[in-house]
Amino acid sequence: MFRIQNNTITKKLTRMNMLVSGAALLMACASFVTYDLFAFRETIVRNLSIQARVAGSNSVTALVFNDSHTAENTLSALKAAPNIVSAGIYTLDGQIFAAYEREPGTQLPRFISADHDETHSFKDGSVIVTNSIVFQGKPTGMVYIRSDLRALNAQLQLYAIIAAAVLAASLGTALWLSSVFRRSITEPIRHLADVAGMVSRDKNYTVRATLPKSRDELSTLIESFNDMLTQIQGRDGALQLAHAELEQRVSERTFQLAAANKELESFSYSVSHDLRAPLRSIDGFSQALLEDCSETLNDDGRAHLQRIRKATQRMGFLIEDLLNLSRVSRTEMHTQNLDISALACSIANDLQNAQPERQIELQIEDGLKTRADPGLLRVVLENLLNNAWKFTSKHASAHIAFGMARGNGTPAFFVRDDGAGFDPAFADRLFGAFQRLHAMTEFAGTGVGLATVQRIVHRHGGRIWAESALGQGATFYFTLSETDS
Amino acid sequence: MNNKVILLVEDNPDDEALTLRALRKNNIVNEVVIVRDGVEALEYLFGDGGYAGRDVTRMPQVVLLDLKLPKLDGLGVLRRLRSDARTKLLPVVILTSSNEEQDRMKSYDLGANSYVRKPVDFDQFLDAATQLGLYWLVLNEPPPRRL
């Protein structure tokens, strides 16, 4: 690509040189030739005029004595001049007196006017000179000489050949000189183009263009180009360094993250296996104690043991929920398009079947779709609907709704109940693990459910928030991603 | 039913006692052989080591296998059992604390017949033991004896 442009520059420069020198030479040749032709024409006219005068003065006697034969003899001396086509002596009244014709048939005018002493004219490829013959101060007759322009044409041809030769020689020299000098222009450009091509092709910023020996605009350009390369090289180096540092940091972080994940994994695994075993022992042997030694225990003792068992079981639930919470973060997500309304219906049906005695008016908006991990979304809806069931349990009849809120802002799914609600002052504590806004005796639970829900919603790139007033029910809103609609 | 042996692979003495208590409370009086780790379990089943000379044609009706075990863990035991022609079809029930997905996945993958979690609540534990005993000792027909 660069080479083509370079060639174009070479061609342009050559063409320019040729045109300039050609034009100058042509003009010079033309002016020289023009000048010479004019000078030559004048010389011809002068010579003819002299010859006319000589012939005239030689014919004076013949004219005076009316001896045309002698006059014709005199004129025949003009044979020596091969350029003279015809000549004539005319009487004062313009009648032909004597004639000379180099070749017969040459038309001599029978009559010429003698108004002027001396005239010349160029006509039909020949030049005609007339001259008056003066004898003893009185005009006696006229001489007419007609010459061809062979000499002039020969001169013209010679000039043309010389001009062409000079033009050719000069243009050749100019071509040779320009090819020598244009190298000093095109070579640095070509070199610059090559280096630029190398830089853009190989992303190699260490190369530099060589400066030409002479200082001119091109060397300035090349210098600037080299400066630019130095700057790019510097920045590229810094960028690569930063990039490498970033890579290093990313790989370190990834490694740390992987290690942390592994640790979390093995921690959860241990919790899952090892933390429950002692609880089982406590609960199991408390029960054994109650069964085997019931006679030796008084009521207080039995009540204490019951409390121990309850606490143990509660601890078991806590561990269970904590593991679920951590599992929510650890499991791989596989999102797919889901009918969230159908999912809400199926969960609500399960809840209704578990507590058929509850009077619950259920309202589920139909046909809501979303994209989520099916298992995790189920956990979200189970928790929210379970809560709605739980916190309306003190009411004789309840109203629970699931749907989509399409207010101003992003549309959000919601689960609404008309149960106990919560104090909005503590709304920010709602989603923290082990945070409970109600007394244990009032509503059961570990306080991990909403933390789990929030974690799932966040993993889907969504948001969750709640609105409530104490005793007036609660509404939980959530989005699963920015693209929900 | 009385000559059917249960092999309990369990390293936690509390769990062992509770399991035995649960079984007894459900009137399951079959012999329960207890081994403390994975290696011992294999020695018992194949008649090696401390169990050299045991009549290995007398296989337990069911193996109750914990996952977390000293020396060789439950999954390792299961892998060895399934790769040996003598125990390939032996009913093995994983009885463990964990309900980790990876444990369940690997257990079934290696050919466990069942996966039962030991609940914290002893009442639920009793219930589980009842159903286990009833199912594996009474209801379930074992594979035909090896030829």
Side-chain angles (χ1 to χ4, degrees):
Chain A
M1 181 180 154
F2 290 108
R3 195 151 295 272
I4 292 165
Q5 284 179 349
N6 223 347
N7 281 346
T8 313
I9 285 180
T10 308
K11 275 183 193 153
K12 276 183 185 163
L13 278 175
T14 309
R15 205 182 304 149
M16 191 178 76
N17 278 339
M18 292 296 100
L19 281 174
V20 167
S21 41
L25 277 169
L26 270 179
M27 277 168 75
C29 281
S31 50
F32 277 127
V33 167
T34 314
Y35 172 75
D36 262 19
L37 277 179
F38 271 105
F40 193 66
R41 265 165 67 143
E42 269 172 32
T43 311
I44 290 175
V45 169
R46 199 163 51 242
N47 285 345
L48 274 184
S49 182
I50 288 167
Q51 277 172 321
R53 229 171 274 216
V54 169
S57 62
N58 284 347
S59 309
V60 166
T61 325
L63 204 60
V64 169
F65 292 101
N66 200 18
D67 182 3
S68 61
H69 187 70
T70 307
E72 277 182 2
N73 272 347
T74 308
L75 284 181
S76 67
L78 289 172
K79 267 188 192 137
N83 58 317
I84 291 174
V85 180
S86 59
I89 308 287
Y90 291 79
T91 55
L92 207 56
D93 52 3
Q95 296 299 317
I96 187 147
F97 175 72
Y100 161 77
E101 287 171 340
R102 196 175 59 197
E103 278 156 27
T106 315
Q107 292 277 311
L108 257 178
R110 306 308 310 165
F111 174 86
I112 57 168
S113 77
D115 294 345
H116 305 284
D117 283 354
E118 192 174 335
T119 62
H120 72 265
S121 64
F122 287 84
K123 201 191 280 173
D124 302 333
S126 53
V127 55
I128 296 162
V129 171
T130 58
N131 229 328
S132 59
I133 301 168
V134 179
F135 180 63
Q136 291 176 339
K138 282 196 292 189
T140 317
M142 300 286 291
V143 179
Y144 169 100
I145 289 183
R146 181 190 181 113
S147 162
D148 62 23
L149 291 174
R150 229 182 296 167
L152 186 70
N153 288 341
Q155 191 76 6
L156 202 60
Q157 264 178 14
L158 189 65
Y159 276 151
I161 290 166
I162 289 172
V166 166
L167 210 57
S170 306
L171 283 178
T173 314
L175 193 65
W176 174 68
L177 282 175
S178 84
S179 80
V180 171
F181 284 112
R182 80 173 173 230
R183 247 176 244 149
S184 69
I185 295 173
T186 57
E187 277 309 311
I189 292 179
R190 177 174 300 179
H191 174 62
L192 191 62
D194 284 346
V195 173
M198 215 182 326
V199 168
S200 74
R201 193 178 53 243
D202 307 335
K203 306 278 173 283
N204 177 5
Y205 304 113
T206 57
V207 291
R208 292 289 178 275
T210 320
L211 276 172
K213 288 186 197 90
S214 59
R215 303 277 309 165
D216 54 12
E217 288 90 337
L218 271 176
S219 70
T220 314
L221 176 66
I222 290 174
E223 244 170 23
S224 308
F225 179 73
N226 283 346
D227 277 354
M228 204 169 71
L229 275 184
T230 310
Q231 285 178 22
I232 292 176
Q233 191 185 357
R235 281 183 207 173
D236 188 55
L239 207 65
Q240 274 182 358
L241 206 68
H243 185 70
E245 253 175 47
L246 212 61
E247 289 261 292
Q248 168 80 14
R249 221 178 296 165
V250 166
S251 77
E252 270 171 24
R253 289 282 189 281
T254 311
F255 181 76
Q256 286 169 356
L257 191 67
N261 263 345
K262 216 178 153 74
E263 228 164 84
L264 183 67
E265 191 90 4
S266 68
F267 175 74
S268 305
Y269 192 79
S270 301
V271 168
S272 189
H273 278 274
D274 299 338
L275 240 58
R276 276 200 277 237
L279 287 180
R280 206 162 41 242
S281 297
I282 298 170
D283 190 65
F285 288 109
S286 301
Q287 176 65 14
L289 206 58
L290 279 171
E291 286 171 6
D292 299 352
C293 314
S294 56
E295 316 86 53
T296 52
L297 281 171
N298 60 14
D299 285 351
D300 275 355
R302 277 191 289 277
H304 293 333
L305 276 172
Q306 288 298 356
R307 275 172 192 266
I308 291 172
R309 284 200 66 200
K310 254 213 175 97
T312 314
Q313 284 157 21
R314 183 166 161 70
M315 184 75 186
F317 286 127
L318 280 174
I319 291 173
E320 190 72 43
D321 281 356
L322 264 186
L323 284 172
N324 282 336
L325 180 64
S326 90
R327 201 167 291 141
V328 155
S329 312
R330 283 181 293 141
T331 48
E332 228 173 286
M333 284 217 313
H334 300 285
T335 57
Q336 59 188 70
N337 294 320
L338 294 166
D339 185 343
I340 189 168
S341 297
L343 187 61
C345 270
S346 113
I347 295 166
N349 276 341
D350 290 349
L351 287 165
Q352 205 128 46
N353 290 339
Q355 294 174 292
E357 72 284 359
R358 295 277 310 272
Q359 290 288 313
I360 288 173
E361 192 193 324
L362 196 65
Q363 197 183 344
I364 291 177
E365 188 178 329
D366 256 345
L368 295 178
K369 306 267 192 289
T370 190
R371 199 173 166 75
D373 180 284
L376 292 178
L377 185 62
R378 175 170 270 278
V379 174
V380 168
L381 285 179
E382 269 174 359
N383 270 291
L384 293 178
L385 287 169
N386 221 344
N387 280 352
W389 241 261
K390 184 161 70 182
F391 291 108
T392 52
S393 59
K394 300 271 156 69
H395 295 200
S397 68
H399 184 269
I400 292 172
F402 168 79
M404 176 173 267
R406 298 176 180 83
N408 20 327
T410 326
F413 299 110
F414 68 84
V415 174
R416 179 176 296 135
D417 66 64
D418 55 356
F422 58 86
D423 186 346
F426 303 116
D428 54 329
R429 286 171 51 193
L430 215 51
F431 299 101
F434 300 114
Q435 295 290 343
R436 290 176 44 82
L437 300 186
H438 296 276
M440 201 64 131
T441 48
E442 226 181 332
F443 297 104
T446 54
V448 181
L450 284 178
T452 308
V453 168
Q454 187 187 42
R455 224 177 254 197
I456 294 172
V457 166
H458 284 178
R459 272 198 82 183
H460 282 82
R463 270 182 344 112
I464 182 161
W465 68 99
E467 285 169 5
S468 176
L470 210 52
Q472 292 176 13
T475 308
F476 284 83
Y477 298 93
F478 65 98
T479 63
L480 290 171
S481 73
E482 297 307 317
T483 54
D484 268 346
S485 59
Chain B
M1 164 165 158
N2 285 353
N3 59 348
K4 291 174 182 172
V5 173
I6 297 172
L7 178 65
L8 177 64
V9 191
E10 175 63 77
D11 68 314
N12 183 339
D14 282 4
D15 273 357
E16 174 202 323
L18 290 173
T19 308
L20 288 178
R21 186 182 170 88
L23 290 174
R24 299 291 173 251
K25 276 192 93 72
N26 285 298
N27 300 318
I28 296 165
V29 291
N30 300 57
E31 183 189 347
V32 179
V33 177
I34 292 152
V35 288
R36 306 277 178 206
D37 61 61
V39 174
E40 198 185 342
L42 291 177
E43 283 177 352
Y44 174 83
L45 289 170
F46 296 130
D48 294 333
Y51 293 92
R54 190 186 80 82
D55 174 15
V56 290
T57 57
R58 204 167 160 255
M59 279 292 174
Q61 181 78 358
V62 63
V63 178
L64 303 179
L65 182 62
D66 195 5
L67 284 183
K68 272 202 118 180
L69 291 170
K71 297 181 190 170
L72 184 64
D73 69 7
L75 292 173
V77 173
L78 188 57
R79 193 176 290 115
R80 285 282 302 280
L81 294 185
R82 289 304 178 238
S83 63
D84 193 296
R86 290 169 290 179
T87 51
K88 207 168 116 183
L89 302 175
L90 185 66
V92 174
V93 174
I94 304 295
L95 188 63
T96 184
S97 298
S98 122
N99 63 343
E100 286 289 300
E101 205 170 289
Q102 45 168 331
D103 282 340
R104 277 186 288 159
M105 192 66 215
K106 278 186 195 155
S107 299
Y108 281 115
D109 199 34
L110 288 172
N113 299 77
S114 193
Y115 189 105
V116 177
R117 253 186 83 198
K118 291 187 249 184
V120 167
D121 187 336
F122 188 69
D123 299 328
Q124 290 177 23
F125 195 16
L126 269 182
D127 194 38
T130 315
Q131 298 199 26
L132 265 180
L134 205 67
Y135 181 80
W136 288 104
L137 297 177
V138 181
L139 216 53
N140 186 54
E141 292 288 344
R145 190 150 292 199
R146 210 175 56 79
L147 301 172

